[in-house]
Structure formats: C-alpha cells, structure tokens
Amino acid sequence: DSGVTQTPKHLITATGQRVTLRCSPRSGDLSVYWYQQSLDQGLQFLIQYYNGEERAKGNILERFSAQQFPDLHSELNLSSLELGDSALYFCASSGRQASTLGSTDTQYFGPGTRLTVL
Amino acid sequence: AQSVTQPDIHITVSEGASLELRCNYSYGATPYLFWYVQSPGQGLQLLLKYFSGDTLVQGIKGFEAEFKRSQSSFNLRKPSVHWSDAAEYFCAVGGGILTGGGNKLTFGTGTQLKVEL
C-alpha cells in the first residue's frame, strides 16, 4: 500500500458526460501528479500540483482540468468525454518537505481509477 | 526532450532463471531513473531508483539495476525469477530540478514478463 488513495476505482459513463476523479496523497506529501495510461498512448504525464499551485503541465487536453485543495487532496475533472478518454488514470504524490520540490522526489502511485466511456 | 525506450515488449523466462529487462533513456543531463512494476489491476509499485552515487542500486523483491552513463542504460536484473514476478515493468526517467520546477516522469512502453513454471 503506497498510502495514496484514489476514488472511485471504476467509473463507467457515456460520451459527452463529465466526471471527477479524486486523489488523496500520502500524509504530508505536497505534490500531486496525474497520469493517464491507455493502450495506444502508454503512461503519460498530465499535470502536477504543488501545495495548491499548478507546477507542470504535460499532454493534458483542454477538456481536462485539475486542482489541489487546501487539505492537499486533488481532483481531476474530465468533461465532454469521448470514447478515446477511456483509460486508467493514476495519481501519484511526493515531496514531504518543501525543500524536496523538483529535486529527487520519488513518486508513489495510487491504485488508479479505470474510466470507461461508452 | 526526455524519453525512455524499453525494446522488449514481452519476455518469457522459466522460474528460477535469471532476468534482465532493458531500458535506454535520453536526457540532457544526469537523469533520475526509476523502475516500477504493475501487476494486473494494480497500481505502480516502485522497485528501485537511481539518483546519484553507486551505479548499482538494490531494490525490493531481490531486484537490482545498473546505471551505465556511457550506454544511456538502466537495465533491471534479478538472479532468480519467481512465478510471482510475472507483471509489467516500467522504466521511467525524471528530470528533477531541471524540469523548470516540475518533476514529471517519462515512462517507457513497458515490458510484460511471463514466468513459466
């Protein structure tokens, strides 16, 4: 158990809908990362938040957005869903100390949320 | 841009045999390198990591990896494979402070390991 929790575990929805995925980082971790794992794209970095602020952005679609709340949990919002958005979405956390930001952070991954768009 | 190549998509080994999974990276400076394992329906578990220092790093479950800067490689090894090692293995590179404040991981495409009894 990595200490990172993600809910829900599975999500089935229809095209055009909007969903919210939730992540709770390890206790004390300040950074949260979102990754997408799909058969055609593999594991891809979406976005990173550090202590409530966006820190880095990857190949995240404009239909997707994220935020990190004061209690450090994070939510990934996916809207106008398409069939191709079906994937496993992982959250990871790192950085229990402010001084480790951007240095040798080790990312610990949650179990993922499997999204199926029908 | 950073990238990771895992040239073997599938590998099959017999239980008790040795294992080596290949990983090559491309990065403009000293990389931070990781191996993660993913069992079916599970998340990614960290096996080991290399930041600096000794180029041979030990991880969990009896795995080790060797960083070879001249070959841009970070191959994962295990002297004797157990049936429970069957899983998908991912090599990843992170840029640390050189990524402009971010710390994203770039993953390879993974190697699926099958263990024959």
Side-chain angles (χ1 to χ4, degrees), chain A residues 9 33 35 37 43-45 48 55-56 88 90 94 101-112 114, chain B residues 32 34 36 38 41-44 46 49 51 88 90 95-105 107-108:
Chain A
K9 194 166 185 176
Y33 311 78
Y35 291 84
Q37 184 179 34
L43 262 164
Q44 293 221 325
F45 168 74
Q48 177 195 358
R55 207 71 186 177
L88 193 51
F90 285 112
S94 73
L101 173 64
S103 60
T104 56
D105 283 354
T106 297
Q107 294 179 32
Y108 294 90
F109 283 76
R114 182 167 294 283
Chain B
Y32 301 130
F34 307 83
Y36 286 86
Q38 183 179 24
Q42 301 296 314
L44 294 162
L46 179 69
K49 59 192 178 187
F51 293 150
E88 190 157 21
F90 291 92
I97 60 173
L98 297 178
T99 58
N103 196 25
K104 71 172 187 178
L105 290 178
F107 285 87

mmCIF file of all heavy atoms in Angstrom, chain A residues 9 33 35 37 43-45 48 55-56 88 90 94 101-112 114, chain B residues 32 34 36 38 41-44 46 49 51 88 90 95-105 107-108:
data_model
loop_
_atom_site.group_PDB
_atom_site.id
_atom_site.type_symbol
_atom_site.label_atom_id
_atom_site.label_comp_id
_atom_site.label_asym_id
_atom_site.label_seq_id
_atom_site.Cartn_x
_atom_site.Cartn_y
_atom_site.Cartn_z
ATOM 1 N N LYS A 9 -12.827 3.546 -7.899
ATOM 2 C CA LYS A 9 -11.930 2.574 -8.507
ATOM 3 C C LYS A 9 -12.304 2.353 -9.977
ATOM 4 O O LYS A 9 -11.445 2.189 -10.836
ATOM 5 C CB LYS A 9 -12.018 1.254 -7.747
ATOM 6 C CG LYS A 9 -10.895 0.300 -8.092
ATOM 7 C CD LYS A 9 -10.813 -0.821 -7.089
ATOM 8 C CE LYS A 9 -9.603 -1.696 -7.391
ATOM 9 N NZ LYS A 9 -9.423 -2.759 -6.379
ATOM 10 N N TYR A 33 0.511 14.383 -8.717
ATOM 11 C CA TYR A 33 0.676 14.237 -10.162
ATOM 12 C C TYR A 33 -0.481 13.392 -10.694
ATOM 13 O O TYR A 33 -0.942 12.456 -10.027
ATOM 14 C CB TYR A 33 1.979 13.504 -10.493
ATOM 15 C CG TYR A 33 3.206 14.034 -9.796
ATOM 16 C CD1 TYR A 33 3.457 13.725 -8.460
ATOM 17 C CD2 TYR A 33 4.139 14.810 -10.476
ATOM 18 C CE1 TYR A 33 4.587 14.198 -7.820
ATOM 19 C CE2 TYR A 33 5.279 15.276 -9.836
ATOM 20 C CZ TYR A 33 5.490 14.966 -8.509
ATOM 21 O OH TYR A 33 6.614 15.436 -7.882
ATOM 22 N N TYR A 35 -1.513 11.006 -14.084
ATOM 23 C CA TYR A 35 -1.042 10.312 -15.271
ATOM 24 C C TYR A 35 -2.217 9.555 -15.889
ATOM 25 O O TYR A 35 -3.133 9.112 -15.199
ATOM 26 C CB TYR A 35 0.049 9.291 -14.923
ATOM 27 C CG TYR A 35 1.355 9.890 -14.465
ATOM 28 C CD1 TYR A 35 1.543 10.252 -13.135
ATOM 29 C CD2 TYR A 35 2.410 10.080 -15.359
ATOM 30 C CE1 TYR A 35 2.739 10.804 -12.709
ATOM 31 C CE2 TYR A 35 3.619 10.618 -14.940
ATOM 32 C CZ TYR A 35 3.767 10.976 -13.616
ATOM 33 O OH TYR A 35 4.962 11.520 -13.198
ATOM 34 N N GLN A 37 -3.021 6.216 -18.381
ATOM 35 C CA GLN A 37 -2.462 5.024 -19.008
ATOM 36 C C GLN A 37 -3.490 4.447 -19.970
ATOM 37 O O GLN A 37 -4.576 4.018 -19.572
ATOM 38 C CB GLN A 37 -2.085 3.967 -17.972
ATOM 39 C CG GLN A 37 -1.410 2.746 -18.581
ATOM 40 C CD GLN A 37 -1.015 1.707 -17.535
ATOM 41 O OE1 GLN A 37 -1.705 1.526 -16.538
ATOM 42 N NE2 GLN A 37 0.105 1.038 -17.754
ATOM 43 N N LEU A 43 1.770 5.278 -20.666
ATOM 44 C CA LEU A 43 1.667 6.083 -19.458
ATOM 45 C C LEU A 43 2.123 7.497 -19.757
ATOM 46 O O LEU A 43 3.283 7.720 -20.096
ATOM 47 C CB LEU A 43 2.571 5.498 -18.370
ATOM 48 C CG LEU A 43 1.936 4.607 -17.329
ATOM 49 C CD1 LEU A 43 2.992 3.813 -16.595
ATOM 50 C CD2 LEU A 43 1.119 5.431 -16.351
ATOM 51 N N GLN A 44 1.214 8.449 -19.616
ATOM 52 C CA GLN A 44 1.547 9.827 -19.959
ATOM 53 C C GLN A 44 1.253 10.760 -18.794
ATOM 54 O O GLN A 44 0.188 10.681 -18.174
ATOM 55 C CB GLN A 44 0.721 10.268 -21.168
ATOM 56 C CG GLN A 44 1.078 9.549 -22.442
ATOM 57 C CD GLN A 44 1.106 10.477 -23.633
ATOM 58 O OE1 GLN A 44 0.320 11.399 -23.706
ATOM 59 N NE2 GLN A 44 2.008 10.231 -24.563
ATOM 60 N N PHE A 45 2.176 11.661 -18.564
ATOM 61 C CA PHE A 45 2.021 12.677 -17.533
ATOM 62 C C PHE A 45 0.997 13.711 -17.981
ATOM 63 O O PHE A 45 1.032 14.183 -19.124
ATOM 64 C CB PHE A 45 3.370 13.339 -17.280
ATOM 65 C CG PHE A 45 3.317 14.592 -16.458
ATOM 66 C CD1 PHE A 45 3.099 14.524 -15.089
ATOM 67 C CD2 PHE A 45 3.499 15.834 -17.050
ATOM 68 C CE1 PHE A 45 3.059 15.682 -14.328
ATOM 69 C CE2 PHE A 45 3.470 16.992 -16.293
ATOM 70 C CZ PHE A 45 3.248 16.920 -14.935
ATOM 71 N N GLN A 48 0.902 18.390 -12.757
ATOM 72 C CA GLN A 48 1.423 18.339 -11.397
ATOM 73 C C GLN A 48 0.972 19.568 -10.626
ATOM 74 O O GLN A 48 0.995 20.688 -11.144
ATOM 75 C CB GLN A 48 2.951 18.299 -11.390
ATOM 76 C CG GLN A 48 3.558 18.330 -9.982
ATOM 77 C CD GLN A 48 5.040 18.655 -9.953
ATOM 78 O OE1 GLN A 48 5.667 18.840 -10.982
ATOM 79 N NE2 GLN A 48 5.617 18.726 -8.766
ATOM 80 N N ARG A 55 2.151 23.193 -11.164
ATOM 81 C CA ARG A 55 3.605 23.251 -11.246
ATOM 82 C C ARG A 55 4.133 22.878 -12.627
ATOM 83 O O ARG A 55 5.124 23.403 -13.079
ATOM 84 C CB ARG A 55 4.197 22.300 -10.214
ATOM 85 C CG ARG A 55 5.555 22.698 -9.754
ATOM 86 C CD ARG A 55 5.443 23.938 -8.888
ATOM 87 N NE ARG A 55 6.745 24.447 -8.537
ATOM 88 C CZ ARG A 55 6.938 25.550 -7.835
ATOM 89 N NH1 ARG A 55 5.902 26.245 -7.424
ATOM 90 N NH2 ARG A 55 8.144 25.959 -7.548
ATOM 91 N N ALA A 56 3.480 21.923 -13.244
ATOM 92 C CA ALA A 56 3.922 21.468 -14.560
ATOM 93 C C ALA A 56 2.738 20.863 -15.289
ATOM 94 O O ALA A 56 1.825 20.319 -14.676
ATOM 95 C CB ALA A 56 5.042 20.444 -14.443
ATOM 96 N N LEU A 88 -6.875 4.216 -17.766
ATOM 97 C CA LEU A 88 -6.619 4.134 -16.328
ATOM 98 C C LEU A 88 -5.947 5.444 -15.934
ATOM 99 O O LEU A 88 -4.954 5.842 -16.553
ATOM 100 C CB LEU A 88 -5.702 2.938 -16.067
ATOM 101 C CG LEU A 88 -5.502 2.412 -14.659
ATOM 102 C CD1 LEU A 88 -6.800 2.159 -13.945
ATOM 103 C CD2 LEU A 88 -4.666 1.132 -14.714
ATOM 104 N N PHE A 90 -4.007 7.514 -13.080
ATOM 105 C CA PHE A 90 -3.248 7.362 -11.856
ATOM 106 C C PHE A 90 -2.953 8.717 -11.238
ATOM 107 O O PHE A 90 -2.677 9.694 -11.920
ATOM 108 C CB PHE A 90 -1.903 6.673 -12.119
ATOM 109 C CG PHE A 90 -1.994 5.205 -12.372
ATOM 110 C CD1 PHE A 90 -1.703 4.682 -13.617
ATOM 111 C CD2 PHE A 90 -2.355 4.329 -11.353
ATOM 112 C CE1 PHE A 90 -1.776 3.320 -13.859
ATOM 113 C CE2 PHE A 90 -2.428 2.962 -11.573
ATOM 114 C CZ PHE A 90 -2.142 2.462 -12.824
ATOM 115 N N SER A 94 4.334 13.015 -3.901
ATOM 116 C CA SER A 94 5.731 13.057 -3.455
ATOM 117 C C SER A 94 5.961 14.318 -2.653
ATOM 118 O O SER A 94 5.102 15.188 -2.565
ATOM 119 C CB SER A 94 6.689 13.033 -4.642
ATOM 120 O OG SER A 94 6.666 14.275 -5.321
ATOM 121 N N LEU A 101 11.129 19.859 -3.373
ATOM 122 C CA LEU A 101 10.425 20.177 -4.614
ATOM 123 C C LEU A 101 11.390 20.195 -5.774
ATOM 124 O O LEU A 101 12.403 20.885 -5.747
ATOM 125 C CB LEU A 101 9.751 21.538 -4.491
ATOM 126 C CG LEU A 101 9.126 22.063 -5.791
ATOM 127 C CD1 LEU A 101 7.994 21.143 -6.219
ATOM 128 C CD2 LEU A 101 8.646 23.474 -5.629
ATOM 129 N N GLY A 102 11.073 19.463 -6.796
ATOM 130 C CA GLY A 102 11.863 19.470 -8.020
ATOM 131 C C GLY A 102 13.213 18.818 -7.882
ATOM 132 O O GLY A 102 14.000 18.841 -8.806
ATOM 133 N N SER A 103 13.501 18.214 -6.761
ATOM 134 C CA SER A 103 14.809 17.581 -6.610
ATOM 135 C C SER A 103 14.645 16.081 -6.795
ATOM 136 O O SER A 103 14.173 15.620 -7.804
ATOM 137 C CB SER A 103 15.412 17.933 -5.261
ATOM 138 O OG SER A 103 14.567 17.496 -4.212
ATOM 139 N N THR A 104 15.026 15.316 -5.841
ATOM 140 C CA THR A 104 14.995 13.873 -6.027
ATOM 141 C C THR A 104 13.704 13.280 -5.484
ATOM 142 O O THR A 104 13.736 12.277 -4.798
ATOM 143 C CB THR A 104 16.206 13.236 -5.328
ATOM 144 O OG1 THR A 104 16.184 13.620 -3.948
ATOM 145 C CG2 THR A 104 17.489 13.705 -5.958
ATOM 146 N N ASP A 105 12.603 13.900 -5.825
ATOM 147 C CA ASP A 105 11.325 13.358 -5.393
ATOM 148 C C ASP A 105 11.113 11.962 -5.932
ATOM 149 O O ASP A 105 11.394 11.680 -7.095
ATOM 150 C CB ASP A 105 10.191 14.233 -5.913
ATOM 151 C CG ASP A 105 10.043 15.516 -5.111
ATOM 152 O OD1 ASP A 105 10.740 15.646 -4.102
ATOM 153 O OD2 ASP A 105 9.243 16.354 -5.499
ATOM 154 N N THR A 106 10.594 11.115 -5.093
ATOM 155 C CA THR A 106 10.148 9.808 -5.533
ATOM 156 C C THR A 106 8.640 9.827 -5.530
ATOM 157 O O THR A 106 8.025 10.207 -4.542
ATOM 158 C CB THR A 106 10.678 8.710 -4.599
ATOM 159 O OG1 THR A 106 12.103 8.703 -4.649
ATOM 160 C CG2 THR A 106 10.143 7.353 -5.014
ATOM 161 N N GLN A 107 8.052 9.434 -6.638
ATOM 162 C CA GLN A 107 6.607 9.458 -6.754
ATOM 163 C C GLN A 107 6.019 8.110 -6.379
ATOM 164 O O GLN A 107 6.464 7.064 -6.864
ATOM 165 C CB GLN A 107 6.202 9.834 -8.178
ATOM 166 C CG GLN A 107 6.603 11.267 -8.513
ATOM 167 C CD GLN A 107 6.258 11.670 -9.905
ATOM 168 O OE1 GLN A 107 5.258 11.211 -10.473
ATOM 169 N NE2 GLN A 107 7.072 12.533 -10.489
ATOM 170 N N TYR A 108 5.001 8.149 -5.534
ATOM 171 C CA TYR A 108 4.297 6.944 -5.110
ATOM 172 C C TYR A 108 2.901 6.991 -5.701
ATOM 173 O O TYR A 108 2.202 7.994 -5.589
ATOM 174 C CB TYR A 108 4.254 6.869 -3.577
ATOM 175 C CG TYR A 108 5.631 6.694 -2.990
ATOM 176 C CD1 TYR A 108 6.410 7.796 -2.651
ATOM 177 C CD2 TYR A 108 6.175 5.426 -2.821
ATOM 178 C CE1 TYR A 108 7.689 7.640 -2.151
ATOM 179 C CE2 TYR A 108 7.457 5.260 -2.321
ATOM 180 C CZ TYR A 108 8.211 6.368 -1.997
ATOM 181 O OH TYR A 108 9.481 6.214 -1.514
ATOM 182 N N PHE A 109 2.522 5.896 -6.319
ATOM 183 C CA PHE A 109 1.302 5.863 -7.109
ATOM 184 C C PHE A 109 0.136 5.239 -6.355
ATOM 185 O O PHE A 109 0.298 4.284 -5.593
ATOM 186 C CB PHE A 109 1.535 5.072 -8.404
ATOM 187 C CG PHE A 109 2.299 5.849 -9.436
ATOM 188 C CD1 PHE A 109 3.660 6.042 -9.318
ATOM 189 C CD2 PHE A 109 1.641 6.400 -10.538
ATOM 190 C CE1 PHE A 109 4.371 6.777 -10.261
ATOM 191 C CE2 PHE A 109 2.341 7.125 -11.485
ATOM 192 C CZ PHE A 109 3.701 7.319 -11.343
ATOM 193 N N GLY A 110 -1.046 5.769 -6.637
ATOM 194 C CA GLY A 110 -2.267 5.181 -6.152
ATOM 195 C C GLY A 110 -2.687 4.012 -7.024
ATOM 196 O O GLY A 110 -2.040 3.725 -8.040
ATOM 197 N N PRO A 111 -3.786 3.345 -6.678
ATOM 198 C CA PRO A 111 -4.236 2.164 -7.422
ATOM 199 C C PRO A 111 -4.903 2.488 -8.749
ATOM 200 O O PRO A 111 -5.117 1.597 -9.563
ATOM 201 C CB PRO A 111 -5.231 1.512 -6.463
ATOM 202 C CG PRO A 111 -5.730 2.636 -5.630
ATOM 203 C CD PRO A 111 -4.598 3.596 -5.487
ATOM 204 N N GLY A 112 -5.233 3.754 -8.968
ATOM 205 C CA GLY A 112 -5.815 4.160 -10.238
ATOM 206 C C GLY A 112 -7.336 4.143 -10.249
ATOM 207 O O GLY A 112 -7.985 3.485 -9.432
ATOM 208 N N ARG A 114 -10.208 3.379 -13.151
ATOM 209 C CA ARG A 114 -10.428 2.918 -14.518
ATOM 210 C C ARG A 114 -11.686 3.576 -15.054
ATOM 211 O O ARG A 114 -12.785 3.335 -14.542
ATOM 212 C CB ARG A 114 -10.552 1.401 -14.587
ATOM 213 C CG ARG A 114 -10.737 0.907 -16.033
ATOM 214 C CD ARG A 114 -10.551 -0.579 -16.169
ATOM 215 N NE ARG A 114 -9.192 -1.012 -15.905
ATOM 216 C CZ ARG A 114 -8.167 -0.892 -16.745
ATOM 217 N NH1 ARG A 114 -8.344 -0.327 -17.924
ATOM 218 N NH2 ARG A 114 -6.967 -1.353 -16.415
ATOM 219 N N TYR B 32 17.361 11.100 -13.321
ATOM 220 C CA TYR B 32 16.886 10.337 -12.173
ATOM 221 C C TYR B 32 16.076 9.188 -12.768
ATOM 222 O O TYR B 32 15.148 9.419 -13.540
ATOM 223 C CB TYR B 32 16.030 11.206 -11.255
ATOM 224 C CG TYR B 32 16.767 12.410 -10.736
ATOM 225 C CD1 TYR B 32 16.219 13.682 -10.819
ATOM 226 C CD2 TYR B 32 18.031 12.277 -10.175
ATOM 227 C CE1 TYR B 32 16.904 14.793 -10.343
ATOM 228 C CE2 TYR B 32 18.724 13.380 -9.709
ATOM 229 C CZ TYR B 32 18.162 14.633 -9.798
ATOM 230 O OH TYR B 32 18.841 15.728 -9.339
ATOM 231 N N PHE B 34 14.079 5.308 -12.597
ATOM 232 C CA PHE B 34 13.206 4.509 -11.755
ATOM 233 C C PHE B 34 12.766 3.258 -12.502
ATOM 234 O O PHE B 34 12.626 3.259 -13.729
ATOM 235 C CB PHE B 34 11.939 5.291 -11.365
ATOM 236 C CG PHE B 34 12.204 6.637 -10.744
ATOM 237 C CD1 PHE B 34 12.456 7.741 -11.538
ATOM 238 C CD2 PHE B 34 12.173 6.792 -9.370
ATOM 239 C CE1 PHE B 34 12.697 8.988 -10.970
ATOM 240 C CE2 PHE B 34 12.402 8.032 -8.791
ATOM 241 C CZ PHE B 34 12.661 9.122 -9.596
ATOM 242 N N TYR B 36 9.395 0.712 -12.067
ATOM 243 C CA TYR B 36 8.140 0.428 -11.400
ATOM 244 C C TYR B 36 7.594 -0.891 -11.936
ATOM 245 O O TYR B 36 7.843 -1.266 -13.081
ATOM 246 C CB TYR B 36 7.102 1.518 -11.681
ATOM 247 C CG TYR B 36 7.323 2.827 -10.966
ATOM 248 C CD1 TYR B 36 8.152 3.810 -11.514
ATOM 249 C CD2 TYR B 36 6.685 3.105 -9.752
ATOM 250 C CE1 TYR B 36 8.340 5.021 -10.863
ATOM 251 C CE2 TYR B 36 6.870 4.317 -9.097
ATOM 252 C CZ TYR B 36 7.690 5.267 -9.666
ATOM 253 O OH TYR B 36 7.872 6.476 -9.016
ATOM 254 N N GLN B 38 3.913 -3.186 -12.351
ATOM 255 C CA GLN B 38 2.451 -3.118 -12.313
ATOM 256 C C GLN B 38 1.888 -4.520 -12.487
ATOM 257 O O GLN B 38 2.032 -5.130 -13.537
ATOM 258 C CB GLN B 38 1.924 -2.203 -13.427
ATOM 259 C CG GLN B 38 0.420 -2.018 -13.398
ATOM 260 C CD GLN B 38 -0.068 -1.077 -14.499
ATOM 261 O OE1 GLN B 38 0.580 -0.902 -15.526
ATOM 262 N NE2 GLN B 38 -1.210 -0.446 -14.279
ATOM 263 N N GLY B 41 -4.427 -5.168 -12.804
ATOM 264 C CA GLY B 41 -5.425 -4.498 -11.992
ATOM 265 C C GLY B 41 -4.878 -3.705 -10.829
ATOM 266 O O GLY B 41 -5.645 -3.225 -9.986
ATOM 267 N N GLN B 42 -3.562 -3.555 -10.794
ATOM 268 C CA GLN B 42 -2.937 -2.855 -9.665
ATOM 269 C C GLN B 42 -2.301 -1.552 -10.125
ATOM 270 O O GLN B 42 -2.162 -1.280 -11.323
ATOM 271 C CB GLN B 42 -1.854 -3.738 -9.041
ATOM 272 C CG GLN B 42 -2.358 -5.064 -8.537
ATOM 273 C CD GLN B 42 -3.342 -4.918 -7.410
ATOM 274 O OE1 GLN B 42 -3.128 -4.159 -6.461
ATOM 275 N NE2 GLN B 42 -4.462 -5.619 -7.493
ATOM 276 N N GLY B 43 -1.898 -0.773 -9.143
ATOM 277 C CA GLY B 43 -1.172 0.454 -9.439
ATOM 278 C C GLY B 43 0.292 0.168 -9.686
ATOM 279 O O GLY B 43 0.714 -0.985 -9.835
ATOM 280 N N LEU B 44 1.079 1.213 -9.722
ATOM 281 C CA LEU B 44 2.515 1.102 -9.975
ATOM 282 C C LEU B 44 3.260 1.075 -8.651
ATOM 283 O O LEU B 44 3.110 1.965 -7.829
ATOM 284 C CB LEU B 44 2.991 2.297 -10.802
ATOM 285 C CG LEU B 44 2.431 2.373 -12.209
ATOM 286 C CD1 LEU B 44 2.591 3.774 -12.775
ATOM 287 C CD2 LEU B 44 3.140 1.371 -13.102
ATOM 288 N N LEU B 46 6.958 1.047 -6.801
ATOM 289 C CA LEU B 46 8.358 1.380 -7.021
ATOM 290 C C LEU B 46 9.248 0.202 -6.645
ATOM 291 O O LEU B 46 9.165 -0.317 -5.536
ATOM 292 C CB LEU B 46 8.732 2.596 -6.186
ATOM 293 C CG LEU B 46 10.188 3.054 -6.284
ATOM 294 C CD1 LEU B 46 10.467 3.640 -7.674
ATOM 295 C CD2 LEU B 46 10.514 4.078 -5.201
ATOM 296 N N LYS B 49 15.339 2.962 -7.486
ATOM 297 C CA LYS B 49 15.569 4.260 -8.090
ATOM 298 C C LYS B 49 17.067 4.569 -8.063
ATOM 299 O O LYS B 49 17.804 4.063 -7.215
ATOM 300 C CB LYS B 49 14.811 5.347 -7.333
ATOM 301 C CG LYS B 49 15.209 5.425 -5.867
ATOM 302 C CD LYS B 49 14.255 6.302 -5.084
ATOM 303 C CE LYS B 49 14.645 6.318 -3.611
ATOM 304 N NZ LYS B 49 13.649 7.029 -2.769
ATOM 305 N N PHE B 51 19.557 8.007 -8.220
ATOM 306 C CA PHE B 51 19.708 9.453 -8.266
ATOM 307 C C PHE B 51 21.157 9.841 -8.506
ATOM 308 O O PHE B 51 21.473 10.678 -9.343
ATOM 309 C CB PHE B 51 19.221 10.088 -6.964
ATOM 310 C CG PHE B 51 17.736 9.967 -6.748
ATOM 311 C CD1 PHE B 51 17.206 9.895 -5.471
ATOM 312 C CD2 PHE B 51 16.856 9.932 -7.816
ATOM 313 C CE1 PHE B 51 15.842 9.794 -5.272
ATOM 314 C CE2 PHE B 51 15.484 9.830 -7.630
ATOM 315 C CZ PHE B 51 14.978 9.769 -6.343
ATOM 316 N N GLU B 88 3.979 -6.393 -15.400
ATOM 317 C CA GLU B 88 4.530 -5.465 -16.395
ATOM 318 C C GLU B 88 5.485 -4.512 -15.679
ATOM 319 O O GLU B 88 5.180 -4.001 -14.602
ATOM 320 C CB GLU B 88 3.426 -4.681 -17.095
ATOM 321 C CG GLU B 88 3.941 -3.894 -18.296
ATOM 322 C CD GLU B 88 2.867 -3.582 -19.314
ATOM 323 O OE1 GLU B 88 1.681 -3.602 -18.963
ATOM 324 O OE2 GLU B 88 3.229 -3.297 -20.482
ATOM 325 N N PHE B 90 7.975 -1.124 -15.828
ATOM 326 C CA PHE B 90 8.146 0.167 -16.489
ATOM 327 C C PHE B 90 9.409 0.853 -15.990
ATOM 328 O O PHE B 90 9.620 0.977 -14.780
ATOM 329 C CB PHE B 90 6.952 1.081 -16.204
ATOM 330 C CG PHE B 90 5.673 0.642 -16.847
ATOM 331 C CD1 PHE B 90 4.789 -0.185 -16.164
ATOM 332 C CD2 PHE B 90 5.361 1.043 -18.132
ATOM 333 C CE1 PHE B 90 3.606 -0.594 -16.750
ATOM 334 C CE2 PHE B 90 4.179 0.641 -18.735
ATOM 335 C CZ PHE B 90 3.301 -0.179 -18.044
ATOM 336 N N GLY B 95 13.226 14.426 -14.365
ATOM 337 C CA GLY B 95 14.225 15.458 -14.545
ATOM 338 C C GLY B 95 14.591 16.222 -13.301
ATOM 339 O O GLY B 95 15.522 16.997 -13.325
ATOM 340 N N GLY B 96 13.850 16.059 -12.238
ATOM 341 C CA GLY B 96 14.175 16.783 -11.025
ATOM 342 C C GLY B 96 14.151 18.278 -11.243
ATOM 343 O O GLY B 96 13.303 18.801 -11.944
ATOM 344 N N ILE B 97 15.117 18.977 -10.681
ATOM 345 C CA ILE B 97 15.103 20.433 -10.693
ATOM 346 C C ILE B 97 15.298 20.994 -12.084
ATOM 347 O O ILE B 97 15.073 22.168 -12.318
ATOM 348 C CB ILE B 97 16.174 21.014 -9.757
ATOM 349 C CG1 ILE B 97 17.580 20.548 -10.199
ATOM 350 C CG2 ILE B 97 15.899 20.630 -8.330
ATOM 351 C CD1 ILE B 97 18.684 21.213 -9.417
ATOM 352 N N LEU B 98 15.712 20.171 -13.043
ATOM 353 C CA LEU B 98 15.960 20.687 -14.380
ATOM 354 C C LEU B 98 14.698 20.791 -15.222
ATOM 355 O O LEU B 98 14.751 21.219 -16.355
ATOM 356 C CB LEU B 98 16.990 19.808 -15.094
ATOM 357 C CG LEU B 98 18.363 19.789 -14.424
ATOM 358 C CD1 LEU B 98 19.299 18.852 -15.167
ATOM 359 C CD2 LEU B 98 18.965 21.179 -14.389
ATOM 360 N N THR B 99 13.569 20.366 -14.660
ATOM 361 C CA THR B 99 12.333 20.429 -15.440
ATOM 362 C C THR B 99 11.565 21.700 -15.159
ATOM 363 O O THR B 99 10.352 21.736 -15.244
ATOM 364 C CB THR B 99 11.443 19.205 -15.158
ATOM 365 O OG1 THR B 99 11.156 19.154 -13.764
ATOM 366 C CG2 THR B 99 12.108 17.931 -15.582
ATOM 367 N N GLY B 100 12.259 22.740 -14.816
ATOM 368 C CA GLY B 100 11.621 24.040 -14.645
ATOM 369 C C GLY B 100 10.645 24.085 -13.497
ATOM 370 O O GLY B 100 9.604 24.732 -13.588
ATOM 371 N N GLY B 101 10.960 23.385 -12.445
ATOM 372 C CA GLY B 101 10.088 23.412 -11.285
ATOM 373 C C GLY B 101 9.153 22.230 -11.229
ATOM 374 O O GLY B 101 8.590 21.916 -10.201
ATOM 375 N N GLY B 102 8.936 21.588 -12.353
ATOM 376 C CA GLY B 102 8.102 20.397 -12.342
ATOM 377 C C GLY B 102 8.951 19.168 -12.135
ATOM 378 O O GLY B 102 10.171 19.235 -12.076
ATOM 379 N N ASN B 103 8.332 18.027 -12.041
ATOM 380 C CA ASN B 103 9.061 16.806 -11.746
ATOM 381 C C ASN B 103 8.392 15.614 -12.407
ATOM 382 O O ASN B 103 8.286 14.571 -11.810
ATOM 383 C CB ASN B 103 9.128 16.605 -10.227
ATOM 384 C CG ASN B 103 10.176 15.592 -9.858
ATOM 385 O OD1 ASN B 103 11.127 15.370 -10.584
ATOM 386 N ND2 ASN B 103 9.991 14.939 -8.730
ATOM 387 N N LYS B 104 7.982 15.791 -13.653
ATOM 388 C CA LYS B 104 7.228 14.728 -14.297
ATOM 389 C C LYS B 104 8.113 13.529 -14.550
ATOM 390 O O LYS B 104 9.327 13.635 -14.715
ATOM 391 C CB LYS B 104 6.644 15.218 -15.617
ATOM 392 C CG LYS B 104 7.699 15.432 -16.703
ATOM 393 C CD LYS B 104 7.046 15.732 -18.029
ATOM 394 C CE LYS B 104 8.075 15.779 -19.146
ATOM 395 N NZ LYS B 104 7.452 16.031 -20.457
ATOM 396 N N LEU B 105 7.484 12.370 -14.612
ATOM 397 C CA LEU B 105 8.159 11.144 -15.020
ATOM 398 C C LEU B 105 7.758 10.838 -16.461
ATOM 399 O O LEU B 105 6.600 10.961 -16.839
ATOM 400 C CB LEU B 105 7.755 9.976 -14.135
ATOM 401 C CG LEU B 105 8.253 9.994 -12.691
ATOM 402 C CD1 LEU B 105 7.724 8.780 -11.936
ATOM 403 C CD2 LEU B 105 9.771 10.034 -12.632
ATOM 404 N N PHE B 107 7.744 7.692 -18.979
ATOM 405 C CA PHE B 107 7.796 6.243 -18.889
ATOM 406 C C PHE B 107 8.108 5.604 -20.238
ATOM 407 O O PHE B 107 7.756 6.127 -21.300
ATOM 408 C CB PHE B 107 6.447 5.694 -18.416
ATOM 409 C CG PHE B 107 6.183 5.903 -16.957
ATOM 410 C CD1 PHE B 107 5.612 7.082 -16.506
ATOM 411 C CD2 PHE B 107 6.513 4.921 -16.032
ATOM 412 C CE1 PHE B 107 5.366 7.285 -15.149
ATOM 413 C CE2 PHE B 107 6.269 5.108 -14.676
ATOM 414 C CZ PHE B 107 5.699 6.291 -14.236
ATOM 415 N N GLY B 108 8.733 4.440 -20.165
ATOM 416 C CA GLY B 108 8.844 3.598 -21.343
ATOM 417 C C GLY B 108 7.513 2.891 -21.576
ATOM 418 O O GLY B 108 6.564 3.040 -20.805
#
